[in-house]
Every structure is written in structure tokens, then in C-alpha cells.
Amino acid sequence: MIAVAVDGPAGAGKSTVARAAAKELGFVYVDTGALYRAIGLHVLRRGIDPASAEQVVSQLSGIQLSLAFCQGEQQVLLCGEDVSGGIRTPEVSMAASKVSAIPQVRAFLFDLQRDLARTQSVIMDGRDIGTVVLPNAQVKVFLTASDQVRARRRFDELRQKGETVEYEQVLKDIQQRDYQDSHREIAPLVPAPDAVLLDTSNDTPQQAVDRLVALVREKMRRLEEEAQ
């Protein structure tokens, strides 16, 4: 089994690239950010401030969270409800960043994430996969792009979904999310020391996928040689 950790900032294309690479390699794709988004959605629905650790932690015992896979696609189930579509709004994104800074929330999700990698080959993306969740992953990648490129990608994605957004606000949200994620006390967003940096600013989505798949296949080839 192979574990691939893909970390990086908001809008870097982690989900798109990791999902496509997993499909090509026959691995299971795990979007850990979706788990934090689900918790963010849960507290927002209840009118709770996602930055209030006390209030958020009080909700954890009532949250039933799981992942299902249908034809290779990940579904996020929040108390039995498929919320995969409802967790992709800017409001939920900011809430996810805030709840992810709460240690009890990270502990709540930790075992679920690790268990997924114990029984199958996975490509798992997030912000602390290579540093905290899967520190022994055979392949670690830090996927990034310039602020402007990431904002444009997110802007286009939201517009395609029919949402009314302004590019400058999307850029501001991404820069704020970057600051929050990289300055939190628990598991801040930083590349693992042994991670390969992939800057996709000038890549098409397929080029980024090809680069990731090539890294994984090269590692698999080396592991096979070492096993002989």
C-alpha cells in the first residue's frame, strides 16, 4: 500500500489534482478539508461562531461524520446527510479554517483520517497531511500556486456554480485563509521537510496531474526495486 500526502494552500487545486491522480493510479482519494468543512457547516447551521472553541467543542459529541465512496467519488456524510455540495461556499470555507485551528476538532478527525490510510492505497489532501496526519507517507507533495492564480481558479469555479462573486473579494478571502492557516498554533500550514514542491501556477490541470502521477509511479518503482 502507498500513502500519498498532498498539502497546500486554499485554491491550489489540491482536490482537483489529487482526485484525478487517484483515479489514474487506482488509489482512493481522501479530501480531508471536506471533513473540516462539514464541521464548519454544522456549526454555522446552528448559529455558532466557528471561532469559539468552547461552543464548537460542545457540538462535537453530536456530530456523526463519515466518508463514503461511490464510483470512486468521495461523499461526505454529516449525520447521515450527503453535504458534499453544500460545503463548497466561501462562508463554509472560512468557517472550516476557523474550526481547524481548534485542537479538539483536529483530534476528533485524526483517527478517521489515519484509519483510511491503514487499509488501502490513498491520495489524501489537506493542510497538515505530510506533517501531522501521515508523517510516514511514502510520497509527500506541497502543491501551490500564486495568490492571483489561485483566486482566479476559485473565482471561475464559483461562477460556474452560479454564485455571484467578485474577483477581488475572492482574492482577499484566499489571502486571509492563507494567513489563518499558516499562523494557527496547532498544525500550521507548512511544507513537510521532505515534501516535493509543485508550483502549478503555469500548469493546466492535466499537467499538474501528470506531474503528481509521475512522482508516485517513480516512488512505486523504487520501492519495488528495494523489495527485490
Side-chain angles (χ1 to χ4, degrees):
M1 291 183 293
I2 297 287
V4 181
V6 180
D7 293 309
K14 297 187 302 295
S15 297
T16 299
V17 172
R19 182 186 296 109
K23 185 175 182 180
E24 187 168 335
L25 291 162
F27 289 11
V28 170
Y29 164 63
V30 182
D31 173 9
T32 62
L35 301 174
Y36 290 100
R37 286 173 176 269
I39 293 178
L41 176 63
H42 180 88
V43 299
L44 287 175
R45 283 176 169 179
R46 282 154 181 76
I48 290 172
D49 179 3
S52 171
E54 182 178 358
Q55 293 183 56
V56 172
V57 170
S58 73
Q59 294 293 309
L60 293 180
S61 62
I63 295 178
Q64 296 176 344
L65 194 58
S66 62
L67 298 178
F69 297 91
C70 181
Q71 297 181 341
E73 290 296 319
Q74 175 181 278
Q75 295 177 327
V76 184
L77 304 179
L78 174 61
C79 300
E81 175 192 354
D82 183 359
V83 295
S84 305
I87 59 175
R88 298 298 173 182
T89 68
E91 182 183 21
V92 172
S93 178
M94 294 304 295
S97 180
K98 291 174 181 176
V99 300
S100 69
I102 300 172
Q104 294 92 329
V105 172
R106 306 196 73 83
F108 178 75
L109 294 175
F110 192 74
D111 288 341
L112 173 60
Q113 295 174 77
R114 278 202 166 173
D115 285 347
L116 291 166
R118 287 194 181 105
T119 58
Q120 55 210 331
S121 290
V122 301
I123 294 184
M124 188 176 293
D125 77 48
R127 287 170 172 75
D128 65 344
I129 308 305
T131 53
V132 177
V133 179
L134 300 177
N136 296 319
Q138 291 92 336
V139 179
K140 298 179 186 177
V141 171
F142 193 84
L143 193 73
T144 189
S146 70
D147 295 359
Q148 292 74 20
V149 167
R150 291 186 286 124
R152 175 58 61 180
R153 290 173 179 170
R154 182 58 57 85
F155 173 78
D156 290 342
E157 177 187 358
L158 293 171
R159 289 293 293 269
Q160 287 172 6
K161 292 180 178 178
E163 297 189 29
T164 301
V165 292
E166 298 294 333
Y167 168 78
E168 291 301 328
Q169 184 59 49
V170 175
L171 176 60
K172 181 179 178 181
D173 287 348
I174 277 186
Q175 290 171 335
Q176 182 180 350
R177 179 78 189 268
D178 287 350
Y179 182 85
Q180 289 178 183
D181 290 345
S182 60
H183 286 77
R184 66 192 181 205
E185 291 186 13
I186 304 298
L189 171 65
V190 293
D194 52 346
V196 176
L197 178 66
L198 286 185
D199 189 323
T200 66
S201 297
N202 299 315
D203 288 350
T204 65
Q206 188 57 52
Q207 287 172 330
V209 171
D210 291 344
R211 292 173 69 187
L212 177 56
V213 168
L215 283 172
V216 176
R217 285 181 169 155
E218 174 61 19
K219 183 62 175 182
M220 293 171 67
R221 184 188 65 79
R222 292 182 182 177
L223 289 174
E224 288 177 0
E225 289 180 351
E226 292 172 2
Q228 291 176 355

